[in-house]
Amino acid sequence: MKTTARERLAPMTYTLLFVALIFTMALCICVGSVRISLHDTATAIWCAVFGLEIPQNIAKNIILNVRLPRVLCVTLSGASLSLCGAAMQGLLRNPLADGSTMGVSSGAALGAVIAMATGLTLPGFPYGGIMMAAMLSAFFSLFLILTLAYTLDRSLETSSIILIGVIYTMFISSIISLVITFASDHTRSLNFWTLGSFSGTGYDQVKLLLLTLIVCSAVIMRYAPELNAFAISEENARHIGVNVKRAKLVLLITVSVLIGVCVSISGTVSFVGLVMPHIARMLVGPNHKRLLPASLFSGAIFLLLCDLTARTLLSPIELPIGVVTSIIGAIAFVIIFYRTRKGR
Amino acid sequence: MLEARNIQISFGEKRIVDGISFSLQEGQWLMLAGPNGAGKSTLIEAIAQGVSYQGQFLFEGKDVRQWKSTTLAQRIGILSQKNAVAYAYTVDEVVSLGRYAHRGNILSGGDAGGAEMVEKALEMTGMKSLRHQNMLTLSGGEMQRAFLAQVFAQDPRILILDEPANHLDLRYQQEIFSLIQEWLRVPGRAVLSVVHDLSLARKYGTHAILMHEGKCVSSGRIRDVMTREHLQQVYDMDVYAWMQDMLSQWT
């Protein structure tokens, strides 16, 4: 079988994306209210990893306890959200599918807000209550939206899913506002949290995100051939031998878990999962074997740059990251969608 | 090879397929004919397990619901009526997906003859020169041929085709039907297809089922089914003369 140009260029594209990711991570650690040199950053991380003593003149507390965990959290969240978007866009054969447009992120946010407002916890696991509530609520939302869309037209039509997702998101937003109103003690933190923020994230969240991303991305990438078949049509997937029900269920649960964990840590961060798979598709094509890894990298880079903007644009005031991703993402999406449609 | 026993399909209160039974044997090309809304495509979607139904489809004596989806896809290839893609896949990528059921795993050595089957399928359908082309830029006929190549790449024993000549001009209609006829010559194979063009059904089919409002009006050898009386009953007009006229053009 002959290889296409995109297949041949894929390793080079991944290498470039990897280099860009490392560069962006380094930039995000160095730039902030206190400027830190690249040399100091590299030295502090090197010494910390290999258990060496860090020189006194290096701001190790800022590098290792403030910026590095935050940058890792942002990287893992961006990669996760973008991966989920790519998987959903393939599974539902819908270029507009994403956790935020389909109401899954809002659903997860509702679960997390209720857990925070009521003080729901799991014994021995500080974030357990919020995380579990966000995951269950994300899955329930996705299930509800797809059921409603299927009942409407029996074919999971693109426009039906998006329409129901938008209505569901509006409905959930009003419920969240209601919960926040009654939970007046937590109003400020809840409000900030629903707009998204990575402020104050630590290594506990990094470990949780890393573990979830490793497991969920392994599952999603294992289903790359099935996603290719679904991206053509569900009917085609069934005809070539895909166990449609099992594949759909596994992928929807995996996506819900990943979005639920992300939302429980950073709140609602829109547009990453919607826009970045389109950028990745432009780079490596629609084949999910190449698209999923490219989405991981591009999502991480995009969210890192958005977080950097949120931290530094109006410093010392920090903008909610959801606001930055929405502004940049919406503009980028309009341009991409317009160009894609025009190019057909 | 494939047997349908008293198939009944309903959407809500409406009965779409009502008690259809047939048997498809090796070497046969069974044509499903009838006017729009007769339930032909729904019947095909039921074989693919895309809609729920009452009754039984037996493949090699075993209910198709009991077959593993990949094992069944290795034996039955289905080409649906509506084929479209949402993303810029190449023809090669779409055709290669036909090998999904054969790919196995690392332990089983993967899909040894896969690349060869894809080449053959592209060759058979005349899509080799377009293999790297974006599917979104293909014409309706080229798209149909790409999906037909996917079904050929699947290397099934039974081909089930829902209007295979859909979107094709007269030349390609004849080419595709001749291609399928050639494919059928290999022992152990059979074809079931939905057709609207009765002259094509008459020319290439060996057997037929004439459906009307979900019911079987007539079934058996093509000559016995495509009679003036049966067609008049189903189409409520004299399509027999038109069919004969078209048939003379094909031949």
Side-chain angles (χ1 to χ4, degrees):
Chain A
M1 215 178 298
K2 286 181 184 171
T3 53
T4 62
R6 275 171 179 165
E7 275 178 83
R8 285 195 302 274
L9 290 175
M12 195 200 286
T13 311
Y14 295 141
T15 311
L16 287 175
L17 283 170
F18 180 73
V19 170
L21 176 63
I22 298 297
F23 173 78
T24 315
M25 286 174 83
L27 182 75
C28 290
I29 295 173
C30 295
V31 178
S33 51
V34 177
R35 295 252 167 182
I36 299 166
S37 71
L38 187 61
H39 179 264
D40 284 0
T41 303
T43 309
I45 294 172
W46 179 270
C47 292
V49 169
F50 293 100
L52 306 171
E53 196 176 329
I54 300 169
Q56 291 290 327
N57 59 338
I58 293 177
K60 70 169 184 182
N61 197 38
I62 295 176
I63 297 170
L64 297 178
N65 297 331
V66 179
R67 291 200 190 154
L68 183 61
R70 180 176 179 140
V71 161
L72 289 173
C73 262
V74 174
T75 305
L76 294 168
S77 288
S80 303
L81 293 171
S82 181
L83 182 73
C84 288
M88 285 166 89
Q89 287 171 15
L91 182 67
L92 300 171
R93 195 177 172 267
N94 186 339
L96 296 174
D98 163 44
S100 52
T101 52
M102 290 182 59
V104 187
S105 298
S106 303
L110 177 65
V113 164
I114 290 173
M116 283 173 84
T118 56
L120 184 73
T121 52
L122 285 183
F125 194 27
Y127 309 103
I130 295 171
M131 200 184 75
M132 197 55 74
M135 280 194 308
L136 289 176
S137 189
F139 181 70
F140 173 75
S141 303
L142 195 53
F143 181 76
L144 183 70
I145 289 158
L146 293 178
T147 307
L148 287 172
Y150 185 75
T151 314
L152 198 68
D153 57 24
R154 292 200 164 270
S155 66
L156 291 177
E157 190 72 33
T158 304
S159 51
S160 309
I161 294 173
I162 299 302
L163 188 66
I164 292 168
V166 169
I167 294 166
Y168 184 78
T169 303
M170 288 163 76
F171 174 71
I172 292 297
S173 298
S174 58
I175 302 283
I176 290 174
S177 301
L178 198 68
V179 174
I180 289 173
T181 308
F182 282 104
S184 52
D185 296 349
H186 305 87
T187 301
R188 200 179 169 282
S189 63
L190 283 174
N191 256 332
F192 191 72
W193 186 83
T194 51
L195 293 169
S197 172
F198 285 92
S199 154
T201 44
Y203 287 109
D204 283 344
Q205 286 97 329
V206 171
K207 283 181 211 160
L208 181 63
L209 266 172
L210 184 65
L211 181 70
T212 316
L213 180 59
I214 288 172
V215 174
C216 293
S217 62
V219 173
I220 292 172
M221 286 186 195
R222 148 77 185 77
Y223 276 87
E226 285 83 355
L227 282 169
N228 282 332
F230 275 109
I232 289 170
S233 74
E234 186 176 323
E235 202 179 27
N236 191 254
R238 190 181 301 112
H239 293 170
I240 63 166
V242 174
N243 187 333
V244 168
K245 277 184 190 165
R246 190 173 65 190
K248 263 181 146 176
L249 193 66
V250 170
L251 284 164
L252 290 178
I253 290 174
T254 311
V255 163
S256 305
V257 168
L258 203 46
I259 290 180
V261 170
C262 287
V263 170
S264 71
I265 286 169
S266 64
T268 313
V269 179
S270 309
F271 278 96
V272 183
L274 179 63
V275 179
M276 295 328 287
H278 286 279
I279 305 260
R281 216 171 272 124
M282 285 174 172
L283 294 172
V284 296
N287 190 329
H288 285 79
K289 283 181 189 166
R290 300 189 299 270
L291 177 67
L292 295 173
S295 297
L296 278 170
F297 285 116
S298 55
I301 295 167
F302 175 71
L303 199 57
L304 279 166
L305 292 174
C306 287
D307 187 53
L308 184 66
T309 310
R311 279 195 291 124
T312 56
L313 190 68
L314 298 176
S315 181
I317 298 168
E318 183 180 325
L319 294 170
I321 193 168
V323 173
V324 179
T325 56
S326 296
I327 292 171
I328 299 174
I331 295 167
F333 186 74
V334 169
I335 295 168
I336 293 165
F337 208 63
Y338 184 75
R339 280 184 57 182
T340 314
R341 285 290 165 112
K342 221 179 159 191
R344 279 187 185 181
Chain B
M1 292 175 82
L2 181 70
E3 190 184 348
R5 285 185 185 167
N6 193 26
I7 303 299
Q8 296 182 351
I9 304 168
S10 301
F11 291 156
E13 296 291 302
K14 196 177 178 193
R15 181 63 61 88
I16 308 294
V17 175
D18 194 359
I20 295 288
S21 298
F22 64 81
S23 174
L24 179 66
Q25 304 297 333
E26 189 180 327
Q28 285 183 357
W29 188 338
L30 177 63
M31 299 286 186
L32 274 179
N36 288 333
K40 310 179 295 291
S41 297
T42 311
L43 187 64
I44 287 206
E45 212 29 48
I47 301 172
Q49 306 301 294
V51 292
S52 53
Y53 58 90
Q54 289 177 303
Q56 269 186 318
F57 287 108
L58 301 171
F59 177 69
E60 293 176 349
K62 187 175 158 188
D63 194 322
V64 296
R65 282 178 280 219
Q66 291 168 0
W67 285 84
K68 205 177 153 197
S69 56
T70 45
T71 318
L72 194 65
Q74 287 169 4
R75 290 157 174 80
I76 300 178
I78 301 174
L79 176 72
S80 59
Q81 194 183 123
K82 297 168 282 178
N83 283 312
V85 290
Y87 302 107
Y89 284 97
T90 61
V91 170
D92 218 10
E93 285 170 331
V94 169
V95 177
S96 300
L97 269 177
R99 300 303 298 170
Y100 172 84
H102 297 267
R103 70 200 169 127
N105 53 39
I106 298 163
L107 292 176
S108 66
D111 182 16
E116 200 183 316
M117 280 309 301
V118 170
E119 289 295 319
K120 210 170 152 189
L122 286 165
E123 187 94 55
M124 280 170 82
T125 49
M127 293 300 286
K128 207 162 183 176
S129 59
L130 298 174
R131 66 185 308 164
H132 297 310
Q133 194 153 326
N134 176 350
M135 287 288 287
L136 296 173
T137 63
L138 298 182
S139 69
E142 287 166 342
M143 180 92 79
Q144 185 75 348
R145 282 192 287 146
F147 279 101
L148 188 65
Q150 187 193 67
V151 181
F152 281 144
Q154 217 169 312
D155 193 22
R157 293 180 55 200
I158 295 179
L159 269 187
I160 297 182
L161 312 162
D162 193 355
E163 296 203 50
N166 214 4
H167 303 297
L168 298 178
D169 59 33
L170 289 176
R171 186 186 132 220
Y172 274 123
Q173 282 187 28
Q174 180 140 29
E175 270 189 33
I176 291 287
F177 272 73
S178 301
L179 205 64
I180 297 164
Q181 195 176 45
E182 194 63 36
W183 179 89
L184 185 58
R185 288 215 172 93
V186 176
R189 290 176 171 178
V191 181
L192 167 66
S193 64
V194 169
V195 277
H196 269 300
D197 190 328
L198 298 178
S199 60
L200 281 170
R202 182 72 179 77
K203 181 172 188 301
Y204 291 96
T206 61
H207 294 72
I209 297 173
L210 201 53
M211 289 176 70
H212 184 50
E213 293 178 349
K215 292 190 170 72
C216 172
V217 174
S218 173
S219 68
R221 295 191 70 82
I222 197 107
R223 271 172 203 280
D224 306 328
V225 174
M226 300 286 181
T227 61
R228 187 182 295 270
E229 298 71 37
H230 289 147
L231 295 175
Q232 176 76 39
Q233 188 187 340
V234 168
Y235 290 94
D236 202 21
M237 61 182 281
D238 187 11
V239 290
Y240 184 79
W242 175 84
M243 182 186 81
Q244 291 293 351
D245 188 36
M246 282 298 289
L247 193 58
S248 64
Q249 289 186 41
W250 289 123
T251 51

